[in-house]
Amino acid sequence: MDGRAAVPPGLPRANPTVSYWQDPPDAISDLRSTQSLPEIADVVIIGSGISGACIAYNLLERLPDGKVVMLEARQACSGATGRNGGHTKGASYRSFMDNACSLGIDEAIKIARFEYDCIKAVHAFAREHSIECDSRELQTVDVVYDQGQWHEAVEAIGFMRKVMEKDEPAALYKLWSSGEAEKEFLTPGAVGAITYEAGSLSAYKFVIGILKLGLAKGLNLQTNMPATSISRASDSADQGRTWIVETPRGRIVTEKVVLATNGYTAHLYPALQGVIVPLRGHITAHRPGSGMPPGGLPTTYSFIYDDGYEYMIPRPPGSRFAGDIIIGGGLTKAAEEGLYEYGTTNDTTTDPEIIDYLRETTVTYFGDNWDQDHTEGRIRREWSGIMGYSADGFPLIGQMPGEEGLYITASFQGHGM
């Protein structure tokens, strides 16, 4: 693993695989707000995913006259946010016991509440600002296939119920027996299932919507404009601004820099090499089998087994390709349990072994309930994307220690939504 963590991430690569969500690309995908690159800014945000977009919007809400520039190496929202599985899901019970052991019960409760509140806030923001992104709040189900995983889940949920307030939304889980799970969720072979509150959306459309709100407030968006390096500025020469951001079309001198660069962060800040490790993930879009409910599956899913899991959302009625099933994961089913995907930032291709596995997942999990493949074929699209992971499983957020004016929001462990 140390060898994989030492691989330099480089810049995002040209011509990546096109995700289900990015086809067709939005009108602002290649936008440059100004023909020339601004020479001076108050804040330069590097990255146009959900972190960068939300920071830009909130900065301009509070500082309407601020000079905020956003640099994106490729198209707007072309990174992990625009390539994910479409889930807004906490699954807090799966990390609660570890958090309680390492951080204490109070902090574990705060994290669980934060995850739940984040889900609610995302969908509320979409409603409030009329962002059309197929946002819907609904139940999710974790279908468990391993007895050990089931035992750990039941124990964690019981502990959450004990230490959290009665009827706490973040601790409301319903347990289903094997037979109940097979019947209710069409999943033969399940040991049991767990349902709780979650949601789904097109994160690409959601973030494009936030970017448009920022543009209306004065955000200067520069797509296809990679930041190639950052360095400290000379106060005497640069009017008190403390950072220089270099690009292929010139430099920007700025008071503050925000690295919203996730798995690519070490390219600009080498001290984080091995601290934030990229991981390539894979997702597939399946046309529904003839045995699937005519109106689409009513919940989102995760399928949990002894050494990994898959995650899945059905596309809602009224959406483009309604009834399609988006399913990703498969990492541990590859050779070496997918170790070679760590340190990988090549999202121009997919791993054949993982993709072959994902192609079969809907038939594997739904069994005879899947019935016949769609007449146009099972698979509509396949793609990859780059996430960022840290050793302790937590993101890096805030001002970099000892680096006045340099901020980071990155390393979301594939859990950024």
Side-chain angles (χ1 to χ4, degrees):
M1 183 62 184
D2 288 345
R4 300 304 305 164
V7 178
L11 287 167
R13 303 195 186 197
N15 303 311
T17 56
V18 178
S19 84
Y20 183 90
W21 316 107
Q22 296 164 331
D23 182 16
D26 191 84
I28 70 164
S29 61
D30 292 303
L31 178 68
R32 287 181 177 170
S33 297
T34 55
Q35 189 170 8
S36 59
L37 190 71
E39 296 180 357
I40 293 175
D42 297 324
V43 182
V44 172
I45 299 168
I46 305 172
S48 67
I50 191 167
S51 290
C54 289
I55 288 169
Y57 173 80
N58 282 291
L59 280 174
L60 290 164
E61 273 276 279
R62 300 174 187 182
L63 302 168
D65 297 324
K67 297 178 181 177
V68 179
V69 179
M70 177 178 287
L71 302 178
E72 170 55 55
R74 302 187 298 202
Q75 292 184 320
C77 197
S78 59
T81 301
R83 298 172 172 276
N84 70 11
H87 249 149
T88 50
K89 179 169 179 170
S92 302
Y93 74 93
R94 287 179 56 77
S95 58
F96 192 87
M97 299 296 278
D98 286 342
N99 290 338
C101 288
S102 61
L103 303 172
I105 292 173
D106 288 346
E107 288 301 311
I109 291 172
K110 287 179 183 178
I111 291 171
R113 287 173 176 164
F114 178 81
E115 290 175 322
Y116 177 84
D117 290 345
C118 184
I119 293 167
K120 303 302 287 186
V122 165
H123 293 281
F125 191 93
R127 283 194 306 273
E128 179 184 350
H129 296 279
S130 301
I131 298 176
E132 296 184 3
C133 57
D134 303 324
S135 166
R136 63 174 181 165
E137 297 172 80
L138 72 169
Q139 290 285 293
T140 190
V141 58
D142 291 354
V143 184
V144 182
Y145 294 89
D146 176 76
Q147 192 64 53
Q149 290 283 347
W150 177 251
H151 174 76
E152 290 180 9
V154 171
E155 182 182 18
I157 290 168
F159 187 63
M160 291 179 75
R161 289 171 173 168
K162 179 180 178 180
V163 300
M164 297 178 73
E165 295 178 8
K166 184 179 180 182
D167 297 328
E168 174 103 34
L172 288 181
Y173 297 96
K174 181 178 179 179
L175 303 179
W176 302 71
S177 70
S178 174
E180 291 170 333
E182 291 189 12
K183 181 179 179 180
E184 183 72 16
F185 306 112
L186 310 179
T187 49
V191 172
I194 303 154
T195 53
Y196 50 101
E197 196 173 351
S200 69
L201 47 60
S202 166
Y204 176 72
K205 289 183 177 180
F206 179 65
V207 169
I208 289 291
I210 299 173
L211 289 173
K212 288 178 177 178
L213 293 172
L215 290 167
K217 294 179 180 296
L219 172 65
N220 188 314
L221 174 60
Q222 296 284 325
T223 64
N224 303 296
M225 183 64 62
T228 53
S229 69
I230 59 172
S231 60
R232 286 191 174 276
S234 166
D235 287 346
S236 60
D238 294 303
Q239 305 172 38
R241 289 176 167 83
T242 53
W243 291 93
I244 295 172
V245 181
E246 298 284 355
T247 81
R249 295 178 64 227
R251 73 176 196 170
I252 306 175
V253 182
T254 181
E255 185 177 342
K256 295 179 174 67
V257 174
V258 179
L259 299 174
T261 41
N262 211 27
Y264 298 96
T265 301
H267 178 74
L268 292 173
Y269 197 76
L272 291 178
Q273 181 71 51
V275 176
I276 300 176
V277 180
L279 172 65
R280 184 172 65 175
H282 293 77
I283 306 183
T284 51
H286 297 222
R287 298 180 181 91
S290 60
M292 292 291 97
L297 291 163
T299 67
T300 70
Y301 284 66
S302 290
F303 305 98
I304 299 170
Y305 41 91
D306 58 343
D307 60 349
Y309 63 93
E310 272 75 65
Y311 46 92
M312 189 203 94
I313 70 160
R315 297 287 287 136
S319 65
R320 186 184 184 216
F321 302 135
D324 274 10
I325 289 171
I326 314 301
I327 185 165
L331 177 68
T332 61
K333 298 302 183 181
E336 303 176 49
E337 295 189 333
L339 178 65
Y340 55 84
E341 294 293 333
Y342 286 92
T344 298
T345 55
N346 184 4
D347 58 1
T348 70
T349 64
T350 57
D351 178 81
E353 191 171 5
I354 294 175
I355 286 295
D356 284 348
Y357 170 79
L358 288 175
R359 287 172 182 162
E360 300 299 321
T361 48
T362 44
V363 174
T364 299
Y365 288 128
F366 293 113
D368 292 342
N369 297 308
W370 182 256
D371 207 357
Q372 299 297 311
D373 281 338
H374 195 282
T375 55
E376 296 180 36
R378 184 185 305 165
I379 304 300
R380 191 183 298 278
R381 191 175 291 273
E382 304 162 341
W383 67 98
S384 61
I386 309 304
M387 301 171 282
Y389 281 74
S390 60
D392 64 2
F394 294 108
L396 279 68
I397 299 173
Q399 183 168 289
M400 291 295 295
E403 299 279 22
E404 184 177 354
L406 180 63
Y407 297 81
I408 187 171
T409 170
S411 191
F412 290 98
Q413 333 293 318
H415 196 51
M417 294 301 293

